[in-house]
Structure formats: C-alpha cells, structure tokens
Amino acid sequence: MRIPANKNLANKHVLLGVTGSIAAYKAAELVRRLRKGGAEVRVVLSAGGAEFVTPLTFQALSGNPLHSELLDTGAEAAMGHIELARWADAVVVAPASANVIARLAQGRADDLLAAVCLATEAPVAVAPAMNQQMWAHAATQDNLRKLRERGVHQFGPAAGDQACGESGLGRMLEAADITRHTAELFDTGALTGLRVLITAGPTREAIDPLRYLSNRSSGRMGYAVAQAAVEAGARVILISGPTALATPPRVERIDVRSAQDMHEAALSRAPGADIFIATAAVADYRPAAPAQQKIKKNTDTLTLQLTRNPDILADVAALPDGPFTVGFAAETEKLLEHAGEKLARKKLDMIAANHVGEGKGFEAEENALSVFDASGVIELPQAPKTQLARQLIALIAERYHPGS
Ligand code: C5P
C-alpha cells in the first residue's frame, strides 16, 4: 500500500505566504488541510492578499498570530523576519500573484514575505494564480524560469475558467493538490529502500528497584534523525531509551532502558541494517550489583561499584559486513581531536561531533555539528535539530552512495 504523501507533513513548520489574487480564498482551505496533515502553519499575508481575505480568517484557521509587517517593532519583537525564516521547514506562496513572482525573481526584501523568502534556507514553493494573459506574458515566464533555476518549486497553475471570465492557464491548483506537493517537498528519496537503525535518548542504569544513574539527553537529535531518514525513504527502526517524545510517523520504535538492553536490541538488528546511526547517550558505566531491594539510608556514606557498559557503536562497527556506521561525539573540550580519535578507534564510517554544556547540545532545541569522515570535515552550522538532522541524512546518503 502506498502511504499517503501528506504523512510527511507531521510536525513540519509550513510558512504560507498569501498574496493578492482572487484565489486567496482558497488559501483558507489550504491552511486547514496542511494542519490536518499534521503541519504547524504560520501565515504571512501581503498587503495585496489582505484586500481579498481578512487577517482574522487566517489567524483563526492557523491557530497562530498572523504576520504581515516587516518593520512593525512589536511584531518583529514577537517573531521577526529572520526568526520566521529559520522557523520554516518550507515556505509556500499560495496564491502567488504575478507581482510577487516578479518581486521574488528580483530578490526584493521590502516586505515581510519577500524578506523571509530571501532569508530562509528552507525550500520555497510558489503556486501561481493569475489571469491567463498575465501568465502567458514573457515577463512572468522569465521570472518563473529564474526562480526555478534558483531551486524554487512551482506548483501549477491549472487551466480552466477564471474569475475574470476568461479561460486558460493561470488558475491556482486546488488546496488538496498544493497540500500533496508540499508534503512531497520533504520526500527526498535519498535513502529509498534502505534499512536504517538508530539509537536515541539516554539509558537508565539501575541502582536498586527505584533509583538509577542516567544523563540529560532528551533524545531530540535521534528522533529528528529518525524522522529525516523516513522522509528520505528509509525503513527506520528507532531503539530508544526513556524519553518524553512522540514516535515520528512511520518509524518503528523499540523501547529499552539500560545500556545492556540497548546493546542487545541493536546487535540483534544491526545485521539486517544498511546504516546504523548511534545518537544515544549511553551510560558508560552501570552499578556492578544493583540492589534487589530499596537501599536504606542507614550509613553516612555509600559507595557504588560501577562496571563498564558494552560499547554498542564499536560492537556494531566491528561486525563483519556490518552496516555503514555513524557515531556521535558530545564533547565539552577539544572537539576535533576527540572526534577524530573516536572515528579511528571505533572504526566508524562517519562521526558527528558537537559541543555540549553551557546551553548547547543535550536539552537544547538547536545544535551545530562538525561531521568527519575519511575525506575530512564538514561543518553544519547552528540550526533547529530537525533541519540539522535532514542535512546530516543528506550527507550520510551522499557518502553511502559515493559518486551518485
Ligand atoms: O565514546 P563516546 O561515548 O563518546 O562515543 C559516543 C558515541 O558512541 C555515540 O554515537 C554513542 O551513541 C555511542 N556509544 C554507544 N555505546 C556506548 C557508548 C557510546 O553506542 N556504550
């Protein structure tokens, strides 16, 4: 069974730009459908768009405040154009009038939507809507060619009866079609058919039946990597320590607690995997002899004897004909040195290193990674973990299929 493409919208941030066209009324239905697919939607309404639909409609339907002004200090303080540009996983301009298409082609930054489109690294798509003569004009066609050459996606237009009484090309696609195309933006296909095994989250090492040793890993990076791998077409198994996170759509999740459980789960599945990505913050040590009953506080000091946990990543990397292995290195100092050493010692194909501590890494929403392999290092600058995960998956896919 083919899984409906709009499953890919789950948890995505879609910034919808609504510009001046009679088709703006269809954008209301589009907001509803994008949200139904699981996306969070914010709307930027251009001055032209506000002539056709009221800001209140979009505010109510999106469940978020509307964005319209570039230089409104109050609005910029709440969420400025740069923050909006970073927030977006995709920017969809629907309807895109001939005017906004021309403005985007020129790279203007004199209104909020144009500025966001310039500032974002997310994919941008336009769904043209205009009179058929305006559509056919060489200026419009030149502008669109320019946008496509720069990687802007074009959804439609369709042909048919137009509001102006004419008939021809220039009608905006229906909301259902734009929703489907938006979902497809996240379907990169770079890992189609591959089986990806991922570990994530912390482990808990029992001291007694009530207490454990653990760490501050939230699991967010690993869950984001699992989601990005699914979007890229992989079949994903996520072996997760205890976290508060929801399982990303289409990911098979196996819950474990201790490092030993995680080791067993990973080693039993690794032979069937093409790629193994170890994002888990596995406890290095566990209490050697966890107490069978609750430990009583009847001594002034208490000594716990710890014993080393197995290294899941190194054991998977050592498998004959094992998967392509990717490790993570969370370091508080000497990042490059330690990551390089780990790559060699654990015989990994790739390692993604990040600084932790001082608000970075473990519990943060954003991260930055230095990714090493035999050919050198690539820096992935600070970004939300979901976006960083997609960049990492793209790098892994590139290295897994060299030369493709
Ligand atoms: O040696 P270090 O713990 O810094 O290595 C980190 C990498 O090794 C991470 O990818 C982590 O998931 C993995 N690891 C593991 N099993 C362990 C310890 C670390 O898989 N026992």
Side-chain angles (χ1 to χ4, degrees):
M1 188 189 81
R2 182 152 163 40
I3 296 160
N6 67 8
K7 285 263 168 66
N8 279 347
L9 287 173
N11 309 323
K12 299 301 180 326
H13 292 175
V14 178
L15 189 85
L16 178 64
V18 178
T19 71
S21 153
I22 182 66
Y25 77 93
K26 288 191 192 171
E29 169 69 2
L30 180 56
V31 174
R32 205 183 62 75
R33 284 186 179 263
L34 290 168
R35 289 192 71 192
K36 203 163 161 224
E40 190 181 336
V41 180
R42 286 180 179 272
V43 177
V44 173
L45 187 61
S46 76
E51 299 289 330
F52 290 90
V53 265
T54 76
L56 256 185
T57 307
F58 288 114
Q59 191 141 317
L61 284 173
S62 70
N64 276 316
L66 187 92
H67 305 273
S68 52
E69 301 299 329
L70 178 58
L71 297 175
D72 172 329
T73 43
E76 282 277 308
M79 199 171 196
H81 61 288
I82 299 296
E83 272 172 290
L84 273 175
R86 291 174 65 115
W87 174 87
D89 291 319
V91 178
V92 178
V93 185
S97 61
N99 180 46
V100 81
I101 287 169
R103 290 161 51 73
L104 295 182
Q106 283 178 6
R108 301 277 286 258
D110 53 357
D111 77 4
L112 182 59
L113 182 58
V116 167
C117 287
L118 265 191
T120 192
E121 284 184 32
V124 175
V126 292
M130 66 198 76
N131 161 274
Q132 50 106 9
Q133 292 286 1
M134 293 169 82
W135 168 255
H137 198 286
T140 303
Q141 292 304 316
D142 274 356
N143 289 332
L144 272 165
R145 191 170 22 77
K146 232 185 245 173
L147 290 178
R148 285 194 302 267
E149 279 167 10
R150 289 185 206 143
V152 171
H153 301 261
Q154 183 186 323
F155 300 163
D161 290 342
Q162 300 202 309
C164 50
E166 296 177 18
S167 180
L169 263 179
R171 262 169 67 119
M172 187 170 89
L173 291 188
E174 295 305 319
D177 297 322
I178 297 176
T179 305
R180 185 166 42 81
H181 290 316
T182 305
E184 284 163 3
L185 291 177
F186 299 105
D187 216 340
T188 64
L191 297 180
T192 297
L194 297 180
R195 293 153 304 175
V196 176
L197 184 66
I198 299 169
T199 63
T203 64
R204 287 184 184 169
E205 311 300 327
I207 298 171
D208 69 16
L210 304 182
R211 285 92 164 215
Y212 54 80
L213 294 176
S214 193
N215 59 62
R216 290 165 55 177
S217 164
S218 64
R220 273 201 205 109
M221 192 67 216
Y223 278 57
V225 169
Q227 179 168 321
V230 160
E231 285 166 19
R235 277 180 284 156
V236 177
I237 298 180
L238 176 66
I239 302 174
S240 175
T243 71
L245 303 173
T247 312
R250 291 182 284 157
V251 167
E252 182 188 341
R253 168 165 153 189
I254 298 168
D255 286 323
V256 295
R257 290 171 75 82
S258 67
Q260 284 175 298
D261 297 343
M262 190 176 271
H263 184 264
E264 196 186 314
L267 268 291
S268 71
R269 282 160 184 88
D274 300 298
I275 296 172
F276 177 65
I277 309 173
T279 72
V282 185
D284 292 326
Y285 292 92
R286 67 176 181 276
Q292 295 306 310
Q293 307 299 334
K294 182 181 173 191
I295 299 173
K296 295 288 179 200
K297 49 177 175 304
N298 46 18
T299 54
D300 281 346
T301 61
L302 177 67
T303 306
L304 280 179
Q305 175 91 28
L306 302 180
T307 186
R308 270 293 277 276
N309 268 328
D311 190 318
I312 304 165
L313 177 58
D315 288 353
V316 170
L319 289 174
D321 294 324
F324 182 95
T325 51
V326 183
F328 269 68
E331 305 291 346
T332 52
E333 52 162 12
K334 296 190 189 148
L335 184 73
L336 304 190
E337 204 177 298
H338 286 152
E341 181 273 325
K342 248 171 235 182
L343 182 75
R345 176 168 48 83
K346 299 197 189 192
K347 299 196 172 54
L348 309 179
D349 294 297
M350 190 184 258
I351 193 156
N354 64 316
H355 272 290
V356 288
E358 293 161 15
K360 285 190 267 183
F362 270 27
E363 289 163 318
E365 290 280 353
E366 297 205 338
N367 206 353
L369 295 174
S370 306
V371 184
F372 295 71
D373 69 2
S375 64
V377 56
I378 292 184
E379 299 293 341
L380 301 181
Q382 178 148 346
K385 285 180 177 173
T386 47
Q387 288 177 21
L388 211 53
R390 284 187 203 117
Q391 293 168 8
L392 179 67
I393 286 293
L395 270 183
I396 292 172
E398 209 178 285
R399 296 298 194 270
Y400 184 83
H401 305 287
S404 68

